[in-house]
Amino acid sequence: MKTALVTGANRGIGQEVARRLAIRAFHVFVGARNAGAGRAVVEAIAKSGGKATFLQIDVADNASVTAAAREFSKIADHVDILVNNAGFIEDGDTAILEISDELLRKTFETNTLGALRVTRAFAPLLAKSKAPRVINISSGGGQLTGGADGWAPAYCISKTTLNGATSPLAAALPNAAVNSA
């Protein structure tokens, strides 16, 4: 059976991606920090006839990511699609000249480093797939031109950096299709 891991799958885009992959007969691992919300998505997928498993993961925490990869490998021996969707934006993310270093770091830990951390941890499982794919969920705000023009600068900078990291990830995983969307 084909497998997929979607981080931040407990709501929004991640939840919808997980649902659609399950419809396409993937065993979907619903990655989320919030266990209750993650398990609710798993239940909804199961009720619609899909196969899903909750995977506790906080992409901003290396120990959590390592533990999640270990837990995943107890259930499945490969991952075909890794969707790095987990994201963070804070309401106070409004003025580039006033934003705190702390908020920038927190945003980068999730939106940029989190995707790299998860890809690194799951690379051995991706290598076991016949057709591995890594999809980094970005944002229009991550574009260098025509981006957010001042809106949520920490978020937008972190997504621009995620886009920039996607090319070296593709080079590091030559047998995988790696892109940002």
Side-chain angles (χ1 to χ4, degrees):
M1 176 174 243
K2 290 184 179 179
T3 61
L5 166 60
V6 182
T7 65
N10 57 304
R11 62 187 179 120
I13 293 170
Q15 181 177 354
E16 183 62 15
V17 168
R19 187 185 72 76
R20 288 184 184 215
L21 286 167
I23 288 170
R24 289 170 177 78
F26 278 81
H27 177 181
V28 179
F29 287 77
V30 173
R33 287 181 306 164
N34 181 321
R39 286 189 177 101
V41 171
V42 167
E43 288 175 24
I45 289 171
K47 283 180 184 174
S48 66
K51 183 170 183 178
T53 301
F54 171 67
L55 188 67
Q56 181 87 43
I57 188 168
D58 178 351
V59 303
D61 179 350
N62 201 41
S64 174
V65 172
T66 301
R70 194 169 38 251
E71 190 62 29
F72 184 104
S73 65
K74 290 177 185 175
I75 301 165
D77 64 354
H78 71 283
V79 61
D80 295 297
I81 299 178
L82 168 59
V83 181
N84 287 308
N85 173 70
F88 172 78
I89 185 170
E90 189 164 297
D91 290 341
D93 185 4
T94 58
I96 187 69
L97 297 177
E98 298 171 10
I99 196 166
S100 70
D101 289 351
E102 179 183 332
L103 180 56
L104 280 167
R105 281 187 195 96
K106 185 175 181 182
T107 306
F108 269 78
E109 275 297 328
T110 299
N111 298 355
T112 307
L113 297 175
L116 293 172
R117 189 178 287 120
V118 172
T119 305
R120 187 172 49 236
F122 284 83
L125 292 161
L126 286 161
K128 293 179 181 180
S129 171
K130 292 178 183 168
R133 176 174 297 272
V134 177
I135 303 165
N136 293 327
I137 301 299
S138 186
S139 166
Q143 299 176 41
L144 290 175
T145 59
D149 297 327
W151 170 81
Y155 175 81
C156 292
I157 294 167
S158 72
K159 291 299 187 174
T160 301
T161 307
L162 177 63
N163 291 339
T166 300
S167 181
L169 273 177
L173 299 167
N175 296 323
V178 180
N179 57 42
S180 61

